[in-house]
Every structure is written in C-alpha cells, then in structure tokens.
Amino acid sequence: MGNAAVASMTDPDRIWTEAALRLRGEIGEGPYSSYIAPSAVRVDGGGQLILVTPTAYARDWVRRNAQRRINELWLGLDGLNRRLEVRCRAEVGHLGSTAPGEAPGVGAAPAALSAAFHGTVQPVADGPRAVRAAGLQPRLTFDSFVAAPGNAFALSMARQAAAWAEGHFNPIFLCGPYGFGKTHLLNAIAWEAQRLRPQARVVYLTAERFLSTFQRALADRAMGGFKESLRSADMLLLDDVQFVGGKAATQDELLSTLTALMEHGARIILSADRAPMALTDIEPRLRSHLASGLTCAIEPGDRELKLAVARQRLQSLASLGVVSGEPEAAVLEQLVERTPGSMRELEGAVNTLAAAAGRRLASLGVDEARALLGMAQRGGPERRITVDEIQKAAAEHFSLRQADLLSERRTRALARPRQIAMYLCKQLTTRSYPDIGRRFGGRDHTTVLHGVRKIEELMPKDDQIARDVEALIRKLKG
C-alpha cells in the first residue's frame, strides 16, 4: 500500500489493522498478544474513537507503554486526523459500532448475551479473526510447547483431551505456578480439538470472563442466554479458576454449569495456580467437583527447559524477521540465569533483547547483551539490585528482621528464608559465593552453595517456595 493510499484511509477498522501490525513489530509478540490483539476500536455516540481493552489492567498497561505510539501510528494513517482514547470494556457500556474481530463480549447487547461467549473456537480456516474472537493466541499450540519432565504428564493428558479420546477422567485439572504453561496447554487443546472436530462447540474463557459475563447477565436479567451459551458446549476450557474464589453466587453457577456439562458428556478442562483442594477460597462442594477427575501438576521449569524455551522464542522471532542468526551460548545462558521467574518473564526478556539487538543478535557479547537488556527494560542504565536490598525484602516477606538472616541461628523458620535470600543473591547480583557468604554473617562459601542448590532442588517440588521466590523477584525488580 503506497503512502498516499495510506494517508487517505478513514475507515477505523483498516487503520487499526495497519497500526496494530506495525506496533506488533515494535513491541514484540508477547505484549502484542496479551494487550493489543484482544483490544478493538469502537466509536461512541459523539464520534470519539476508543481503543477498548479487555480489562482495566490491560488499559493501564496500554496507557503507560503504548498509547503515545499508537496515536503516532494512527495519526500517520488517518486522513481525518483523529486520536484514540483508551478505555477498558467495563467503562464503555454498550457502544454500537465495532471493529471486525473485536475482543469477545465487548459491549454485548442484553438481547444477545450468548454472543458474549465468542469463546467458541471458529474453524481454523477462518484465520486471524477467529483467533481474536476466541480469545486464543495463535502461537500457543502443541507444536510450540516445549516438553520437559515437569510438564510431561500434563502434556500427555492435554493431547488426549484434544484428540477427544475416550476415557474416565473428567474434568481434567491443570495446576502449577503462574507462567509455566497452563494457559499454553489450554490454548493448544482448543485449537487441536476444533481442528479434529470442526463442527464441535469448543468454548475457551478465563474465570474473569466467566465472572464478568455472569454478573452482566444477572444485571440484564439475561440468565437464560448465559446458561445456554455455556451448557451447549461440547468442550469447555476454563483458565485461572482460582479467581472465582470468594464469589459465592458465581461459584454456585459454575458448579451448576459443570454438573450440567458432565451429565451431557461434554469435556471439561480447567486450570489454577494450585491443586483443587488447596483452593481454600472456593467452597467445598465446588472444590470436590474440581478434584473429582484428574489433576495434572505442572512444575516450574529447570535451567535446560528455560534454555529450550528461549531458543524456540528466538527461532519464532527470526521467522518473523525480527532477528537474524543465533546468539552465543553464553549470552543465552546469562539471559536465563538473570530471569529466574516464570516462562512468561523469560519470553519477555527474550523479546526485549531481540528488539534491542535486532540483526546484531548473533554478534553480541555477554557484556553488550547485558547492557542492551538493562537499557531496554529500564529506559536507562541497568539498576543493580544489591545484597542488602534482597536481605531486606526477604526479611519483610517472611516477617523477620534482617538481622535474623545474618544470625547464627539455624531453626527451620530461619534456614529456609535465609537460603531463599542466598539463592536470590546469586541469581540477581554478580556477587561470588564467598562474597555472599561474608554478607550473611561471615558464612563459608560452601554454606551458600548448599543453600542455592537446595532452593534449586525444592522449587520444582514445593509450590510455596516457588511462589515465594517469584513474589520476591517481582518485588525486587519493581
């Protein structure tokens, strides 16, 4: 498309398609899939153009990180010199005009509430619009899922569910820490199940979507359409079930929905950050129902899995022309070591480095890669996290005093937080084992090495330790 043709564009749908495509190349696949792809351009009664995001969190992210650039792209394409406002779905109400491929459920009319569950996966031939309508991400398939011992059982059961295999396990419940593949597997199941049975009704939605649409149905007195939109499904995939905790009416409706689906032989696959019986905010009857089928735990990834995920992400970016060549092994190893959180955080770090390095990726040394990543993530020189900051954050997290971590006492209540703090010092700083030991009350370097290895050993097995480490990393990185 020539510049003159682009400048003359006035159709919001066409402009947004072009602007979003350009933005995708600038911010990377991860942020694009999470915040931009599910959003849609709407027009209010006064003619104001609004970019509608699925959640308030997404709205805030777009305002902080992308609104200025979106409007720059928009003004360069729009012949009428208009600007976009950014609002979340809850703020816009029932606006009449929609862009094709709009995120599911935005402003659904009360009389057609069942349309709020566009979570039905359309036939694959329908292309990108089906992806947006379904709320699924096109790259989250079985082919792009990296297998490892910690997720092998869950992956096997997911493939069986996607193949509509006959069995006695219903529902299937995937559980594990945030960012280690649960959503990926649910997306993969949905895509494959619909590919194998194009006429089946496969519904994917998050617990947040279930909650918000249920509340809207109550307010609009449209519960009939709500129930029908779910209970007619051949397969229901519900992500992040823990978010219905504390919502009594929503839990009652979810229990009724699951019961009805199972009575009609529909397949049910759910996910949460904990096993069903550990979801203490969910009432016992529903917990028991969730636990009645098969629970598949997904463990945090080890170093080898993270390296494999990073390599695969770089291959995907290379296929899009974002980068050229492969980085040195030492660069990739450092990237993994300095991103000890979830796989999503790791993919974000890979995206950031790829965007910053571009076609120079293959020639980067370790020091230059570290500097580029720090500059890109923080907008300036990389801020160094100190041992003192880690000790203070760990002490506060575990309701201890910093002096307790440095003391000679070896009670279990102190030993595990101390080992976690040592592990974080090794992951987030450049200090050596002897130096860390000196800063923990003059301990020997072998004590630090033992503590670090102990946490590495326990993280895949102990959900609580994995959550503690992840929470501290998020806090320390701001």
Side-chain angles (χ1 to χ4, degrees):
M1 183 183 295
N3 290 337
V6 171
S8 66
M9 289 171 62
T10 59
D11 176 25
D13 302 342
R14 294 177 60 198
I15 298 171
W16 175 240
T17 299
E18 178 68 21
L21 182 64
R22 296 186 186 185
L23 189 65
R24 180 181 193 170
E26 295 179 10
I27 67 175
E29 187 66 29
Y32 174 84
S33 297
S34 298
Y35 305 110
I36 304 302
S39 302
V41 174
R42 308 291 298 276
V43 183
D44 69 11
Q48 172 64 49
L49 294 174
I50 301 169
L51 180 64
V52 182
T53 63
T55 65
Y57 180 84
R59 174 202 63 199
D60 294 342
W61 186 94
V62 171
R63 286 177 176 173
R64 284 195 311 269
N65 300 285
Q67 183 170 6
R68 178 180 296 180
R69 182 56 180 152
I70 287 172
N71 270 306
E72 288 175 354
L73 292 169
W74 190 276
L75 290 172
L77 296 167
D78 185 11
L80 299 180
N81 202 37
R82 295 167 291 185
R83 299 184 69 88
L84 283 174
E85 292 183 4
V86 181
R87 302 180 197 167
C88 69
R89 187 173 302 154
E91 295 173 321
V92 300
H94 304 309
L95 299 183
S97 177
T98 66
E102 173 187 68
V106 177
L113 190 72
S114 61
F117 283 95
H118 287 172
T120 301
V121 185
Q122 301 302 320
V124 174
D126 283 358
R129 179 173 180 178
V131 175
R132 290 195 297 271
L136 298 171
Q137 298 181 49
R139 69 186 185 90
L140 300 184
T141 64
F142 285 124
D143 288 342
S144 63
F145 189 84
V146 180
N151 62 38
F153 180 61
L155 175 59
S156 174
M157 294 301 102
R159 287 188 179 278
Q160 288 190 32
W164 301 92
E166 294 297 331
H168 303 287
F169 304 123
N170 201 28
I172 293 175
F173 195 98
L174 308 178
C175 61
Y178 166 84
F180 284 96
K182 301 186 301 296
T183 296
H184 192 143
L185 285 179
L186 288 182
N187 275 249
I189 293 168
W191 287 123
E192 182 68 3
Q194 191 72 82
R195 184 186 71 82
L196 293 175
R197 290 191 181 178
Q199 303 309 314
R201 187 158 189 270
V202 179
V203 176
Y204 166 86
L205 67 159
T206 65
E208 180 187 34
R209 162 75 55 191
F210 182 93
L211 174 62
S212 63
T213 313
F214 170 67
Q215 291 174 337
R216 185 189 303 166
L218 283 176
D220 293 341
R221 298 182 180 179
M223 284 301 296
F226 173 86
K227 293 177 185 291
E228 175 60 24
S229 66
L230 283 180
R231 299 183 188 187
S232 60
D234 298 298
M235 178 181 287
L236 172 66
L237 303 105
L238 186 61
D239 205 359
D240 288 326
V241 174
Q242 70 270 11
F243 290 123
V244 303
K247 313 291 192 304
T250 306
Q251 290 181 48
D252 287 344
E253 181 58 34
L254 177 56
L255 178 59
S256 298
T257 296
L258 298 180
T259 301
L261 287 171
M262 292 179 71
E263 287 176 352
H264 290 91
R267 311 298 177 89
I268 301 168
I269 304 95
L270 312 107
S271 81
D273 62 353
R274 285 154 284 163
M277 299 313 292
L279 298 172
T280 53
D281 288 342
I282 290 180
E283 63 97 15
R285 284 189 310 149
L286 179 55
R287 281 207 310 269
S288 178
H289 208 82
L290 298 176
S292 65
L294 177 68
T295 298
C296 304
I298 298 177
E299 298 177 352
D302 59 15
R303 181 173 174 275
E304 291 306 313
L305 175 60
K306 290 186 175 182
L307 284 169
V309 168
R311 290 191 188 99
Q312 184 184 74
R313 183 65 191 139
L314 284 171
Q315 290 171 2
S316 298
L317 293 172
S319 69
L320 295 172
V322 177
V323 295
S324 179
E326 297 182 1
E328 294 181 9
V331 169
L332 207 57
E333 288 170 1
Q334 176 194 242
L335 181 67
V336 168
E337 289 172 359
R338 296 179 66 85
T339 315
S342 72
M343 295 299 183
R344 288 178 183 165
E345 292 169 0
L346 176 61
E347 286 198 342
V350 172
N351 291 338
T352 301
L353 181 61
R359 299 189 177 277
R360 295 193 302 114
L361 182 66
S363 63
L364 289 184
V366 171
D367 291 340
E368 187 180 5
R370 182 190 300 121
L372 274 178
L373 187 60
M375 292 283 287
Q377 287 182 328
R378 297 177 178 86
E382 184 174 6
R383 185 185 76 81
R384 294 188 180 276
I385 297 172
T386 67
V387 171
D388 184 65
E389 286 178 309
I390 293 171
Q391 290 174 344
K392 288 178 178 176
E396 181 181 356
H397 181 80
F398 292 106
S399 301
L400 302 171
R401 298 175 302 161
Q402 186 175 358
D404 293 329
L405 298 178
L406 312 184
S407 72
E408 291 295 323
R409 288 188 292 160
R410 298 181 181 180
T411 63
R412 184 176 180 83
L414 290 179
R416 197 67 77 220
R418 185 183 292 133
Q419 289 174 336
I420 288 174
M422 290 175 174
Y423 169 83
L424 292 172
C425 286
K426 192 56 185 171
Q427 294 293 328
L428 303 179
T429 78
T430 57
R431 301 294 181 184
S432 65
Y433 286 115
D435 196 4
I436 294 171
R438 284 192 294 271
R439 291 164 183 265
F440 276 81
R443 284 175 164 80
D444 188 81
H445 77 279
T446 58
T447 302
V448 180
L449 178 59
H450 170 76
V452 171
R453 288 181 174 173
K454 189 64 177 178
I455 298 305
E456 289 177 341
E457 175 191 337
L458 289 174
M459 281 180 64
K461 305 174 184 177
D462 191 315
D463 288 348
Q464 186 57 56
I465 288 179
R467 286 196 293 270
D468 287 334
V469 169
E470 186 176 343
L472 282 165
I473 289 170
R474 285 201 302 268
K475 181 175 182 179
L476 287 161
K477 289 189 173 182

